[in-house]
Amino acid sequence: MSSTYQEQKFRILREVWGYHQFRQNQEAIIDQVLDGKDALVIMPTGGGKSLCYQLPALLMEGMAVVISPLIALINDQVYALRSAGVAVAAMHSNMSQTQLSEAEKSVTQGKVKILYVSPERVNTQSFKRFLQSLQISLFAIDEAHCVSIWGNDFRPDYTELYKVREAFPKIPVIALTATADEATQADIMQQLRLSQPQKFISSFERKNIHISAFPVQNRYRQILDFLRKVPGQCGIIYCLSRRETEVLAEKLSKAGYKCLAYHAGMDAGKRNEIQSAFQQDKVQFICATIAFGMGIDKSDIRWIIHYSMPKNLEGYYQEIGRSGRDGRPAQALLFYGWGDIQTYKSFIEESDAPEAFRTVQMAKLERMWEFANATHCRTNMILNYFGEYRDNPCGHCDNCTHPPESFDAIVVAQKALSAIIRTGEKAGMNMLIDILRGSRRAEIIQAGYDRIKTFGAGRDLSGIEWKVYITQMIHQGIIRVDYTDHFNLKTTPLSQPVLKSERPVKLVRYNDVRAKENPPSTRKKVISFESELSEILRTWRLDMAQSRQVPAYAIFNDSTLEDLVRKIPMTFDELDNIEGIGQIKNSNLVRHCWVPYENM
Ligand code: ADP
Ligand code: ZN
């Protein structure tokens, strides 16, 4: 690579994007492309994939072609690049004939450095002829996992993209995705006919997302408490059923929050409406089924709540991954309950799917449940699950920030085990707890469980405490759940040594599990100058965004906002030092921006 490229890289990064350094792998990827070689980039959402092709595009001769399947995403990128002064155009099926002709004209005149196109457009004969008449610098294929049936979002249009490669054998192709296991990676390279590509795999860890999990008790109360702590920040609450989304959205609306329900049962028009309301910050959050989220490019989602437990870690990680795409801190709260797991198990058991498939689903569900109940680093559990083996604590999950303390729980374990044995292993979780707590409900009396020795022996603990402890014992292998026998609790080979006090049992106290639910609030009620300035800037940003029909972060993102509040630039030159404001954006802002400060 020429040395001028070396110097120019940093200059462009500063001048156009207003960034001062590259993130992990970005520079190496950019060098690879500038060298004219192919690359496969696997980087988590929010990792900064777009810079990897946008920056070389500005340095290289000719025009870069970016193939992207999501029109909303294309539109936002085009807006963001334009406001940074980059000559960019788009061609996709949502544009009118006039718009398309205009785009084509500026491309032909050599005015465009980056052209965004949808895959179905690239595959037409006329478009290929059009490309042949131009000087192309590079091809970037976004969401490259769509080419593979192993990926989770297969698109037939993608399988034709190798023809681009064949028609332009000398032009570098960079394929990018956030999700691709090894089978998918191999498929991408082979199907897109990448030639000797270098793979760049970034860690899947999302350092800016704080992960925590709570038992479902008092879930609504906890959500209200949480929402009070994040005023105005947008988020998504994922629910299990359509009905749940509606009931919750209605309750929270009545509690004064601007929120909407969203699920696949709504017609397309309604769903689009809700999606744009969210994208344009007209509502603070959406109570949705997992149908919501694909194709949403909103980089300032600050939190995700799972109102119920997802059915596997893939889904969970993908859903929480929608938060904090701008790299700013975000929070993921998971509520989990024994009921969720039973619902899923019944679904799986009753489904017509082949046995092997059901076994895998069950195993994945099991891992999800372990994750929810984990008492050690949750990030490590996720990374290990995805094959990125690691055991140093992450520092951004509840178990790292509030490590739970364990206590000697041999007596608790013995009471539970003895009750299991005395019911002839015929009681499920709830029944066993009722027996331990001495409930006189009809079923118990009928079965004669009120006459066994351990009846009422666990009155000192609440029902929820028992549930939490039995769950921990299940994870430690002291108790097992027999899924083939009505989810009844049974003993295991590890039970006997516990009953004979030969094996110690350590459990995490329920109070410690709960302690993280309401971390002491350190926020004072005093309204600071910073928060007021931040509020004014936010309002101004929202006005700007709404008048331009773009999402707020496209005006400037939360990092930029925080930097503005921290540094309070008083001259246009000082604006240059703000993260995320390059030279052109600066002069654009200068024209409109001083207004917010004048109001102070
Ligand atoms: P991805 O496509 O991988 O999900 P993006 O390309 O949208 O991620 O980048 C995510 C966020 O990170 C954007 O707000 C982007 O401006 C920001 N970003 C990217 N590279 C850098 C960098 N080198 N320094 C600071 N911010 C960056
Ligand atoms: Zn951790």
Side-chain angles (χ1 to χ4, degrees), residues 377-379 394-397 400:
C377 179
R378 294 187 197 275
T379 306
C394 75
H396 56 89
C397 78
C400 282

Short mmCIF file of all heavy atoms in Angstrom, two decimals, residues 377-379 394-397 400, ligand 2:
data_model
loop_
_atom_site.label_atom_id
_atom_site.label_comp_id
_atom_site.label_asym_id
_atom_site.label_seq_id
_atom_site.Cartn_x
_atom_site.Cartn_y
_atom_site.Cartn_z
N CYS A 377 -19.86 -15.13 35.61
CA CYS A 377 -19.90 -14.17 34.50
C CYS A 377 -20.79 -14.61 33.33
O CYS A 377 -20.59 -15.65 32.71
CB CYS A 377 -18.49 -13.91 33.98
SG CYS A 377 -18.48 -12.77 32.59
N ARG A 378 -21.76 -13.78 33.02
CA ARG A 378 -22.72 -14.13 31.96
C ARG A 378 -22.11 -13.96 30.57
O ARG A 378 -22.42 -14.70 29.65
CB ARG A 378 -23.96 -13.25 32.06
CG ARG A 378 -24.77 -13.51 33.31
CD ARG A 378 -26.08 -12.74 33.28
NE ARG A 378 -26.63 -12.67 34.61
CZ ARG A 378 -27.39 -13.61 35.16
NH1 ARG A 378 -27.70 -14.68 34.48
NH2 ARG A 378 -27.84 -13.47 36.39
N THR A 379 -21.25 -12.95 30.42
CA THR A 379 -20.63 -12.74 29.11
C THR A 379 -19.79 -13.96 28.73
O THR A 379 -19.84 -14.42 27.59
CB THR A 379 -19.75 -11.48 29.14
OG1 THR A 379 -20.55 -10.40 29.60
CG2 THR A 379 -19.19 -11.16 27.77
N CYS A 394 -16.04 -10.36 32.77
CA CYS A 394 -16.23 -9.28 31.79
C CYS A 394 -16.32 -7.90 32.41
O CYS A 394 -16.00 -6.91 31.78
CB CYS A 394 -17.47 -9.55 30.95
SG CYS A 394 -19.04 -9.23 31.82
N GLY A 395 -16.84 -7.84 33.65
CA GLY A 395 -16.98 -6.53 34.28
C GLY A 395 -18.22 -5.77 33.83
O GLY A 395 -18.45 -4.65 34.27
N HIS A 396 -19.03 -6.34 32.92
CA HIS A 396 -20.25 -5.63 32.55
C HIS A 396 -21.47 -6.54 32.62
O HIS A 396 -22.39 -6.42 31.82
CB HIS A 396 -20.11 -4.93 31.19
CG HIS A 396 -19.72 -5.82 30.06
ND1 HIS A 396 -20.62 -6.49 29.29
CD2 HIS A 396 -18.50 -6.16 29.58
CE1 HIS A 396 -19.98 -7.20 28.39
NE2 HIS A 396 -18.69 -7.02 28.54
N CYS A 397 -21.47 -7.46 33.56
CA CYS A 397 -22.69 -8.22 33.83
C CYS A 397 -22.96 -8.16 35.33
O CYS A 397 -22.06 -7.81 36.10
CB CYS A 397 -22.58 -9.66 33.33
SG CYS A 397 -21.61 -10.74 34.39
N CYS A 400 -20.60 -10.01 37.62
CA CYS A 400 -19.28 -9.42 37.77
C CYS A 400 -19.36 -8.16 38.63
O CYS A 400 -18.50 -7.93 39.48
CB CYS A 400 -18.69 -9.06 36.41
SG CYS A 400 -18.05 -10.46 35.51
ZN ZN B 2 -19.33 -10.80 33.56
#
